[in-house]
Coordinates of all heavy atoms in Angstrom, one line a residue:
Q1 N 5.7 15.1 -0.6 CA 5.3 16.2 -1.4 C 6.4 17.0 -2.0 O 6.3 17.5 -3.1 CB 4.4 17.1 -0.5 CG 3.8 18.3 -1.2 CD 3.2 19.3 -0.3 OE1 3.8 19.8 0.7 NE2 2.0 19.7 -0.6
S2 N 7.5 17.0 -1.3 CA 8.7 17.8 -1.8 C 9.3 17.1 -3.0 O 9.9 17.7 -3.9 CB 9.8 17.9 -0.7 OG 10.4 16.7 -0.5
E3 N 9.0 15.8 -3.2 CA 9.5 15.0 -4.3 C 8.5 14.9 -5.4 O 8.8 15.0 -6.6 CB 10.0 13.6 -3.9 CG 11.1 13.6 -2.9 CD 11.5 12.2 -2.5 OE1 11.0 11.3 -3.1 OE2 12.3 12.1 -1.6
N4 N 7.2 14.7 -5.0 CA 6.2 14.5 -5.9 C 4.8 14.9 -5.3 O 4.2 14.0 -4.6 CB 6.2 13.0 -6.4 CG 5.2 12.8 -7.6 OD1 4.2 13.6 -7.7 ND2 5.4 11.8 -8.4
P5 N 4.3 16.1 -5.5 CA 3.1 16.5 -4.9 C 1.9 15.7 -5.4 O 0.8 15.8 -4.7 CB 3.0 18.0 -5.3 CG 3.8 18.1 -6.5 CD 4.9 17.1 -6.4
K6 N 2.0 15.0 -6.4 CA 0.8 14.2 -6.9 C 0.9 12.7 -6.5 O 0.1 11.9 -6.9 CB 0.8 14.2 -8.4 CG 0.4 15.6 -9.0 CD 0.2 15.5 -10.5 CE -0.2 16.8 -11.1 NZ -1.5 17.2 -10.6
A7 N 1.8 12.4 -5.6 CA 2.0 11.0 -5.1 C 0.9 10.5 -4.3 O 0.2 11.2 -3.7 CB 3.3 10.9 -4.3
V8 N 0.7 9.2 -4.3 CA -0.1 8.4 -3.4 C 0.8 7.5 -2.6 O 1.7 6.9 -3.2 CB -1.1 7.6 -4.2 CG1 -2.1 6.8 -3.3 CG2 -2.0 8.5 -5.1
F9 N 0.6 7.4 -1.3 CA 1.4 6.6 -0.5 C 0.7 5.8 0.5 O -0.4 6.2 1.0 CB 2.6 7.4 0.1 CG 2.2 8.3 1.3 CD1 2.4 8.0 2.6 CD2 1.6 9.6 1.0 CE1 2.1 8.9 3.6 CE2 1.4 10.5 2.0 CZ 1.6 10.1 3.4
A10 N 1.3 4.6 0.8 CA 0.8 3.8 1.8 C 1.6 3.9 3.1 O 2.8 4.2 3.0 CB 0.8 2.3 1.4
V11 N 1.0 3.8 4.3 CA 1.7 3.8 5.5 C 1.5 2.4 6.1 O 0.3 1.9 6.3 CB 1.1 4.8 6.5 CG1 1.7 4.7 7.9 CG2 1.3 6.2 5.9
L12 N 2.6 1.7 6.3 CA 2.5 0.3 6.8 C 3.4 0.1 8.0 O 4.5 0.6 8.1 CB 3.0 -0.6 5.6 CG 2.3 -0.5 4.3 CD1 3.0 -1.4 3.3 CD2 0.8 -0.8 4.4
P13 N 2.9 -0.8 8.9 CA 3.8 -1.2 10.0 C 5.0 -2.0 9.6 O 4.9 -2.7 8.5 CB 2.8 -2.0 10.9 CG 1.5 -1.6 10.5 CD 1.6 -1.4 9.0
S14 N 6.0 -2.0 10.4 CA 7.3 -2.8 10.0 C 7.3 -4.2 10.5 O 8.2 -4.9 10.2 CB 8.5 -2.0 10.5 OG 8.4 -1.9 11.9
D15 N 6.3 -4.6 11.4 CA 6.5 -5.8 12.1 C 5.3 -6.7 12.1 O 5.1 -7.4 13.0 CB 6.8 -5.4 13.6 CG 5.8 -4.4 14.2 OD1 4.8 -4.1 13.5 OD2 6.0 -4.0 15.3
H16 N 4.6 -6.7 11.0 CA 3.4 -7.6 10.9 C 3.8 -8.8 10.0 O 4.7 -8.7 9.2 CB 2.3 -6.8 10.3 CG 1.7 -5.8 11.2 ND1 0.5 -5.1 10.9 CD2 2.1 -5.4 12.4 CE1 0.2 -4.3 11.9 NE2 1.2 -4.4 12.8
V17 N 3.0 -9.8 10.2 CA 3.1 -11.0 9.3 C 2.0 -11.1 8.3 O 0.8 -10.8 8.7 CB 3.1 -12.3 10.2 CG1 2.9 -13.6 9.4 CG2 4.3 -12.4 11.1
I18 N 2.3 -11.4 7.1 CA 1.3 -11.5 6.0 C 1.6 -12.9 5.4 O 2.6 -13.1 4.7 CB 1.5 -10.4 4.9 CG1 1.4 -9.0 5.6 CG2 0.4 -10.6 3.9 CD1 0.1 -8.6 6.2
L19 N 0.7 -13.8 5.5 CA 0.9 -15.1 4.9 C 0.5 -15.2 3.5 O 1.1 -15.9 2.7 CB 0.1 -16.2 5.8 CG 0.5 -16.4 7.2 CD1 -0.4 -17.4 7.9 CD2 2.0 -16.8 7.3
K20 N -0.6 -14.5 3.1 CA -1.0 -14.5 1.7 C -0.6 -13.3 1.0 O -1.3 -12.3 0.8 CB -2.6 -14.6 1.7 CG -3.1 -15.8 2.5 CD -4.7 -15.8 2.6 CE -5.1 -16.9 3.4 NZ -6.7 -16.9 3.5
E21 N 0.6 -13.3 0.5 CA 1.3 -12.1 -0.1 C 0.7 -11.7 -1.4 O 0.6 -10.5 -1.7 CB 2.8 -12.3 -0.2 CG 3.5 -12.4 1.1 CD 5.0 -12.1 0.9 OE1 5.5 -11.9 -0.2 OE2 5.7 -12.0 2.0
E22 N 0.2 -12.6 -2.2 CA -0.4 -12.2 -3.5 C -1.7 -11.5 -3.2 O -2.0 -10.5 -3.9 CB -0.7 -13.5 -4.3 CG 0.6 -14.1 -5.0 CD 0.2 -15.2 -5.9 OE1 -1.0 -15.4 -6.2 OE2 1.2 -15.9 -6.3
A23 N -2.5 -12.0 -2.3 CA -3.7 -11.3 -1.9 C -3.4 -9.9 -1.3 O -4.1 -8.9 -1.6 CB -4.6 -12.1 -1.0
Y24 N -2.4 -9.8 -0.6 CA -2.0 -8.5 0.1 C -1.6 -7.5 -1.0 O -2.0 -6.4 -1.0 CB -0.8 -8.8 1.0 CG -0.1 -7.7 1.5 CD1 -0.6 -6.9 2.6 CD2 1.2 -7.3 1.0 CE1 0.1 -5.8 3.1 CE2 1.9 -6.2 1.5 CZ 1.3 -5.5 2.6 OH 2.0 -4.4 3.1
V25 N -0.8 -7.9 -1.9 CA -0.3 -7.0 -3.0 C -1.5 -6.6 -3.8 O -1.6 -5.4 -4.2 CB 0.7 -7.7 -3.9 CG1 1.0 -6.9 -5.2 CG2 2.0 -8.0 -3.1
S26 N -2.5 -7.5 -4.1 CA -3.7 -7.1 -4.8 C -4.5 -6.1 -4.1 O -5.0 -5.1 -4.7 CB -4.5 -8.4 -5.1 OG -5.7 -8.1 -5.8
K27 N -4.7 -6.3 -2.8 CA -5.5 -5.4 -2.0 C -4.9 -4.0 -1.9 O -5.6 -3.0 -2.0 CB -5.7 -5.9 -0.6 CG -6.6 -7.2 -0.5 CD -8.0 -6.9 -0.9 CE -8.9 -8.2 -0.8 NZ -10.3 -8.0 -1.2
L28 N -3.6 -4.0 -1.7 CA -2.9 -2.7 -1.7 C -3.0 -1.9 -3.0 O -3.1 -0.7 -3.0 CB -1.4 -2.8 -1.2 CG -1.2 -2.7 0.3 CD1 0.3 -2.9 0.5 CD2 -1.7 -1.4 0.8
A29 N -2.8 -2.7 -4.1 CA -2.9 -2.1 -5.4 C -4.3 -1.5 -5.6 O -4.5 -0.4 -6.2 CB -2.6 -3.1 -6.5
Q30 N -5.4 -2.2 -5.1 CA -6.7 -1.7 -5.2 C -6.9 -0.4 -4.3 O -7.5 0.5 -4.7 CB -7.7 -2.7 -4.7 CG -9.1 -2.3 -4.8 CD -10.1 -3.4 -4.2 OE1 -9.6 -4.4 -3.7 NE2 -11.4 -3.1 -4.3
A31 N -6.2 -0.4 -3.2 CA -6.3 0.7 -2.3 C -5.6 2.0 -2.9 O -6.1 3.1 -2.8 CB -5.7 0.4 -0.9
F32 N -4.5 1.8 -3.5 CA -3.8 2.8 -4.2 C -4.7 3.5 -5.3 O -4.8 4.7 -5.4 CB -2.5 2.4 -4.9 CG -1.3 2.3 -4.0 CD1 -0.6 1.1 -3.7 CD2 -0.8 3.5 -3.5 CE1 0.5 1.1 -2.9 CE2 0.4 3.5 -2.7 CZ 1.0 2.3 -2.4
E33 N -5.3 2.6 -6.1 CA -6.2 3.1 -7.2 C -7.4 3.9 -6.6 O -7.7 4.9 -7.1 CB -6.6 1.9 -8.1 CG -7.5 2.3 -9.2 CD -7.9 1.1 -10.1 OE1 -7.4 0.0 -9.8 OE2 -8.8 1.3 -11.0
F34 N -8.0 3.3 -5.6 CA -9.2 3.9 -5.1 C -8.9 5.3 -4.4 O -9.6 6.3 -4.6 CB -9.9 3.0 -4.0 CG -11.3 3.5 -3.6 CD1 -12.4 3.1 -4.3 CD2 -11.4 4.2 -2.5 CE1 -13.6 3.5 -4.0 CE2 -12.7 4.6 -2.1 CZ -13.8 4.3 -2.8
A35 N -7.8 5.3 -3.7 CA -7.4 6.5 -3.0 C -7.1 7.6 -4.0 O -7.4 8.8 -3.7 CB -6.1 6.2 -2.1

């Protein structure tokens, strides 16, 4: 908020495995837009 009060942000764990990265990027992009 101190940098950009209009920002949207994701909170992600640092230690997970994602095998289908293209699908992952698409789902997160959808989540950003919906949020």
Side-chain angles (χ1 to χ4, degrees):
Q1 183 189 49
S2 74
E3 298 182 7
N4 188 336
K6 293 185 175 295
V8 179
F9 71 100
V11 174
L12 306 176
S14 61
D15 51 6
H16 291 186
V17 169
I18 307 292
L19 295 179
K20 302 176 182 179
E21 291 201 357
E22 288 187 10
Y24 169 78
V25 169
S26 175
K27 293 293 185 180
L28 268 183
Q30 181 184 5
F32 274 117
E33 181 179 354
F34 192 85

